[in-house]
Amino acid sequence: APGSSEPSAPAPGPAPSARPRPDRPYAVLRLPSLRVTAPIAEGISKHGVLDKGYVGHYAGTAQPGRAGNLALAGHRNTHGEPFRHLDRLRAGDRIVVETREAVFTYLVDKILPETSARDGGVIAPVPRSAVRTAYGYGERGYYVTLTTCTPEFTSRYRLVVWGRLASTRPR
C-alpha cells in the first residue's frame, strides 16, 4: 500500500499522450505547504529550462505516476526560485504533479539536507545517496525526487527531498 514499507505501489498512472519535448513545459508542480506552483519542463539545462523559472525533469528518470523515480530540479535563488524554501518541506507534505492525463500526489517521507552536487544516486530509479549511505530507499517503487542547491546563494551542495506516490486521479 502507498506510504507503507511494502514494495507494492499504486497502479501506474495513465501513459503520457506524447513524449515531452526538450525545454518545453508539459506538467505543473504544486507544493501546497510552500504555496508554490511551477511548470515542469523536460531537461535541466540552465538556459532552456531552469533560468526560465521552470522546474526541470532529469532526462531518463521516470515520468509522473510511473514506476521508478520522477527526478526534478529547480533554482533556489534567482530565476523565479521555485525551490527557494524547499528546506521547509516536512514528512507528510504533499508534492502534486499535474499532467494533461492525471493528477499525481506524492507524500514527502525523506529529506537529505546536504550531499555532493555529483551524488547521482539521489536520482537513480531506486533513489539512494551514493555519498551518504544512510539516506534513500532499498526497493523499487514510485518515487519523486526534488533537488536544489544548498546552502542558499551557493551551488556547493544539493538539498534533496524524496516522496512516494500516494494517489493518482485521472483528469
Side-chain angles (χ1 to χ4, degrees):
S4 74
S5 61
E6 297 297 322
S8 62
S17 56
R19 184 180 182 144
R21 293 174 44 196
D23 298 345
R24 298 288 175 95
Y26 69 97
V28 174
L29 173 71
R30 296 186 195 282
L31 304 173
S33 66
L34 302 181
R35 296 185 177 148
V36 167
T37 299
I40 298 172
E42 185 64 18
I44 59 164
S45 71
K46 284 181 117 183
H47 178 71
V49 177
L50 301 178
D51 288 356
K52 291 180 179 177
Y54 301 156
V55 170
H57 171 253
Y58 285 90
T61 67
Q63 288 296 328
R66 308 308 282 175
N69 184 13
L70 167 65
L72 305 171
H75 278 310
R76 190 163 188 192
N77 304 108
T78 71
H79 303 292
E81 50 197 35
F83 287 175
R84 169 90 167 137
H85 298 294
L86 202 63
D87 60 324
R88 294 182 184 174
L89 285 177
R90 298 293 176 250
D93 284 348
R94 291 181 300 137
I95 299 170
V96 180
V97 178
E98 298 179 20
T99 67
R100 190 171 287 174
E101 294 80 18
V103 177
F104 305 97
T105 301
Y106 298 82
L107 297 179
V108 172
D109 68 346
K110 295 180 187 253
I111 298 168
L112 176 56
E114 181 180 292
T115 191
S116 164
R118 295 183 179 159
D119 188 354
V122 301
I123 64 166
V126 177
R128 183 174 191 82
S129 174
V131 176
R132 303 199 47 194
T133 57
Y135 291 91
Y137 299 92
E139 73 276 349
R140 288 181 288 175
Y142 293 70
Y143 302 107
V144 65
T145 299
L146 308 179
T147 66
T148 197
C149 296
T150 201
E152 286 190 69
F153 305 105
T154 74
S155 58
R156 184 172 180 152
Y157 300 106
R158 295 296 176 269
L159 164 65
V160 180
V161 174
W162 286 307
R164 289 183 191 246
L165 185 63
S167 69
T168 299
R169 180 175 47 88
R171 280 197 175 285

